Amino acid sequence: MLVSPAVQAARAQSALHNLFIFPLSSFLVSFKNQKKLDKKYLDLAISLSKGPDPSPNPRVGALIVKDDLILGSGHHHGPGTPHAEIEAITDAISNGNSKLLKGATLYVSLEPCSHTLKRTPPCTDAILKSGIDRVVFGMKDPNSLVSGAVFLRSKGVSVAGPLSQKECEKINSTYLRMLKIPPRVILKMAMSLDGKIATRENDSKWISSEKSRLMVHHLRSRCDAILVGAGTVIADNPRLTSRIPSGKDPIRVIIDGSLSTSPKSNVFQNPDGKTILVTCASSRAKLKLYSSPNLRTLVFPGKKVDLRLLLTSLSAMGLKSLLLEGGSTLAGEFFDANLIDEFYFFICPKLIGGKTAKSPLGGLGLANVCESPRLHSITYRKVGPDLLIHGTILRS
């Protein structure tokens, strides 16, 4: 029987319908089911984040799932402890599910981290090593250092998120508020009457009196961290502890861009694990020389440590008051970058002289006196034989 062109066209259309529409319909059903599963398991991960407060770090929960089976779970406990993703991977392995991790999905309430400017290794490295090939996260991390989603996608991992931004923001309201507050940078300097912080031979022990030095130890005890440069470590070999009864030793941050300090320096030998080495040196051989369970290392990109990025990183660690005790080079860099908020200047009754003897602020400095930042709340106080000038700087 002859078939008309119209019937032939209808049959062809029906064949196309069967070929494309039904598989598409099946795909849509599968997609909807996956969305339901993603919501179910992400909600579980979010519920895990509501445990004890890990402040100043964010609340994070994580879950690893494969074929509707939960392989492992975990949540973040606090600063210096493994992140939720690592807890979940470790839990999966301890449950005997290590071989099932390949091809599994990680559900985590906060975007995984990919940077090294913190206390613990990047979570993205562990995710890739485990074989997990899909990540679903609830909230994008506002910390510009993180960007774990972008990194994982570049490595071929399927990433979905943020899928529960508002809910996770509500849970982490304290963390988000604290992250927006930059650390307060406090500059401390001791100088002679003629404005020198050391002799031409770089000798500075001691320009200030014993009473002034004791006051500095109390100041250290009140701050979250001390910052010094490589020059101070090389010249003075300090321990940077508070050394007062019942005093608190702050975190010690050593900025050594090229790793010019000795790994055997006193500050690196402190056994309390509260020392952070900040560098741009990426040589594994060099970094290995500083390897110690009591020392954390933050490796920055480029040839020079970005001070603003450093402050962002320290702020994310919950360090909100930083005592800048470095020499004129580091102080000058912070001054040039307009990053100093407060100062303690001890003027001591000594004369040093010498055109090569250093002054408190190195760096480029100002071109015109009228550019000098506004100072306010200035106070003058006698400390033993020294004069202490304290005040705050209005950042422009």
Side-chain angles (χ1 to χ4, degrees):
M1 184 177 66
L2 293 174
V3 180
S4 69
V7 172
Q8 288 180 344
R11 285 179 177 173
Q13 188 175 5
S14 177
L16 285 171
H17 177 84
N18 290 333
L19 182 62
F20 293 108
I21 301 302
F22 289 148
L24 178 60
S25 174
S26 178
F27 169 78
L28 289 173
V29 170
S30 176
F31 178 72
K32 286 179 181 178
N33 287 340
Q34 187 61 59
K35 281 189 72 175
K36 286 181 181 178
L37 284 174
D38 285 349
K39 185 177 188 321
K40 170 186 170 182
Y41 289 121
L42 185 57
D43 285 348
L44 280 174
I46 292 169
S47 69
L48 288 171
S49 73
K50 297 177 182 178
D53 187 2
S55 181
N57 289 1
R59 294 177 179 271
V60 189
L63 208 65
I64 301 173
V65 179
K66 187 174 185 180
D67 298 330
D68 214 16
L69 173 70
I70 296 175
L71 306 182
S73 62
H75 68 276
H76 181 49
H77 295 271
T81 64
H83 284 195
E85 301 93 321
I86 310 302
E87 288 272 327
I89 292 171
T90 303
D91 187 47
I93 294 170
S94 67
N95 291 337
N97 294 323
S98 57
K99 291 182 179 179
L100 296 176
L101 285 172
K102 188 173 182 180
T105 297
L106 168 71
Y107 293 91
V108 59
S109 59
L110 182 67
E111 178 184 13
C113 62
S114 60
H115 66 98
T116 60
L117 307 183
K118 57 188 182 66
R119 294 178 171 94
T120 53
C123 294
T124 49
D125 288 358
I127 292 169
L128 293 172
K129 188 177 179 181
S130 72
I132 290 169
D133 66 3
R134 185 167 182 263
V135 173
V136 179
F137 67 94
M139 181 180 91
K140 180 169 179 57
D141 198 314
N143 185 348
S144 59
L145 298 169
V146 176
S147 64
V150 173
F151 177 79
L152 287 171
R153 287 189 184 109
S154 73
K155 298 296 181 180
V157 177
S158 172
V159 181
L163 301 185
S164 300
Q165 185 76 20
K166 288 185 179 179
E167 182 181 358
C168 293
E169 282 180 353
K170 189 175 180 180
I171 293 168
N172 279 303
S173 58
T174 302
Y175 167 73
L176 294 172
R177 187 168 61 252
M178 288 297 292
L179 194 62
K180 292 177 182 177
I181 303 172
R184 186 168 184 80
V185 178
I186 305 162
L187 173 63
K188 185 278 300 180
M189 280 287 177
M191 69 195 79
S192 63
L193 280 176
D194 55 337
K196 305 295 184 181
I197 63 169
T199 68
R200 68 175 188 270
E201 298 292 336
N202 215 25
D203 176 41
S204 61
K205 293 182 179 178
W206 295 105
I207 291 176
S208 60
S209 67
E210 189 174 343
K211 281 191 175 181
S212 292
R213 298 198 299 275
L214 179 61
M215 186 175 180
V216 170
H217 287 298
H218 282 279
L219 183 57
R220 285 179 181 176
S221 184
R222 296 199 303 270
C223 290
D224 295 327
I226 308 174
L227 279 80
V228 301
T232 297
V233 174
I234 293 169
D236 300 336
N237 196 21
R239 292 193 179 276
L240 298 178
T241 53
S242 67
R243 296 203 291 276
I244 55 173
S246 70
K248 178 197 77 175
D249 282 340
I251 299 289
R252 297 169 288 271
V253 182
I254 315 302
I255 303 177
D256 183 4
S258 60
L259 294 181
S260 57
T261 53
S262 167
K264 295 182 180 179
S265 300
N266 286 335
V267 73
F268 299 136
Q269 306 309 311
N270 285 310
D272 57 9
K274 297 174 74 173
T275 304
I276 299 173
L277 174 63
V278 180
T279 185
C280 294
S282 57
S283 166
R284 289 189 178 183
K286 257 191 166 185
L287 289 169
K288 193 173 181 180
L289 296 174
Y290 294 81
S291 179
S292 164
N294 297 314
L295 179 66
R296 291 176 301 221
T297 304
L298 306 184
V299 181
F300 278 71
K303 295 182 179 179
K304 193 176 181 64
V305 173
D306 184 324
L307 297 181
R308 291 186 185 277
L309 188 59
L310 172 62
L311 293 185
T312 298
S313 178
L314 296 177
S315 177
M317 293 181 190
L319 305 177
K320 298 298 181 180
S321 55
L322 312 177
L323 183 61
L324 182 57
E325 284 203 58
S328 64
T329 300
L330 189 61
E333 288 176 0
F334 270 85
F335 179 75
D336 288 344
N338 192 31
L339 294 175
I340 299 174
D341 300 289
E342 189 176 350
F343 60 87
Y344 286 82
F345 277 9
F346 293 87
I347 314 297
C348 312
K350 289 184 173 71
L351 294 171
I352 291 176
K355 63 180 180 180
T356 59
K358 292 178 180 177
S359 61
L361 296 176
L364 182 63
L366 304 176
N368 301 293
V369 174
C370 62
E371 297 171 353
S372 176
R374 285 191 295 156
L375 312 180
H376 68 108
S377 302
I378 308 294
T379 61
Y380 304 87
R381 174 181 169 186
K382 202 166 182 294
V383 183
D386 305 333
L387 175 66
L388 168 61
I389 303 178
H390 170 248
T392 55
I393 300 176
L394 289 176
R395 290 199 201 179
S396 56

